[in-house]
Amino acid sequence: MKLEIPNTFPDGMNDEEIQSVISKCAKKVTYVTKPDVNVSLGASYYISMIQLGQSELNNRIQSGLLDLIKNENQENKKSTFINRVLTGLTIALALITLYIGNKSLGFAESDQNSDEIWQTEQIELLKKQNQELEQLNKKLTERVKTDSIN
């Protein structure tokens, strides 16, 4: 009972085909190593085929892992770049907010100062008008007194 190993073994086969050949070789090794079995190929041939198949599967797994790691690194670089840009924008917005807030406080203070000046001017104007009214009132009172005497 000879097991035919395909010429495309292992790199020309898919994972399932390689695993099938490995499984058949393992069965053959078990059969060949039994006592009183006469075979033309020794167990070492099939063991070599098992190792070759396992080696190919391991290489494929490692290659897949390396590709996955490479893709993850690229994604991490993109995320890092995006995070840095967003951090920069956040800092810029914070600085702009501080500047606008500072200017707003300046305008509020200026408005408050001008309001106080206006109120002071209005109070002075009212005092002046009050004094003028008092003087007019005195003159009118004197006139009334003089008119009533005459």
Side-chain angles (χ1 to χ4, degrees):
M1 170 177 164
K2 183 178 178 194
L3 173 64
E4 290 292 327
I5 305 292
N7 290 337
T8 58
F9 183 76
D11 45 347
M13 303 174 81
N14 64 34
D15 293 352
E16 290 79 23
E17 291 171 332
I18 293 172
Q19 289 172 347
S20 173
V21 170
I22 290 172
S23 177
K24 289 176 185 175
C25 286
K27 288 177 186 173
K28 189 71 169 175
V29 167
T30 304
Y31 176 74
V32 169
T33 55
K34 287 185 180 178
D36 300 328
V37 175
N38 185 11
V39 292
S40 58
L41 292 174
S44 62
Y45 170 77
Y46 295 108
I47 291 172
S48 296
M49 292 297 109
I50 291 171
Q51 291 171 340
L52 184 62
Q54 280 301 126
S55 176
E56 178 65 22
L57 290 175
N58 289 340
N59 287 341
R60 289 181 185 184
I61 290 170
Q62 287 174 353
S63 176
L65 289 175
L66 290 175
D67 288 342
L68 182 64
I69 290 170
K70 182 179 176 183
N71 290 339
E72 287 295 320
N73 283 339
Q74 288 175 347
E75 289 297 319
N76 286 341
K77 286 179 184 177
K78 288 179 189 176
S79 295
T80 300
F81 175 75
I82 290 170
N83 285 338
R84 286 183 180 167
V85 168
L86 290 176
T87 300
L89 287 174
T90 302
I91 291 170
L93 287 174
L95 292 174
I96 290 170
T97 302
L98 285 173
Y99 176 77
I100 291 171
N102 187 32
K103 289 296 180 184
S104 296
L105 286 174
F107 288 137
E109 183 181 7
S110 173
D111 188 43
Q112 183 179 3
N113 290 339
S114 67
D115 190 43
E116 288 174 1
I117 292 170
W118 179 82
Q119 286 176 359
T120 304
E121 289 173 354
Q122 293 301 311
I123 289 172
E124 290 299 319
L125 184 63
L126 287 172
K127 283 181 182 179
K128 190 176 185 181
Q129 287 177 352
N130 190 33
Q131 288 172 352
E132 289 175 3
L133 285 174
E134 285 177 355
Q135 287 174 358
L136 278 174
N137 194 19
K138 278 184 185 180
K139 285 182 183 179
L140 283 173
T141 307
E142 286 177 10
R143 199 172 239 195
V144 167
K145 284 182 183 178
T146 53
D147 282 345
S148 61
I149 296 179
N150 288 336

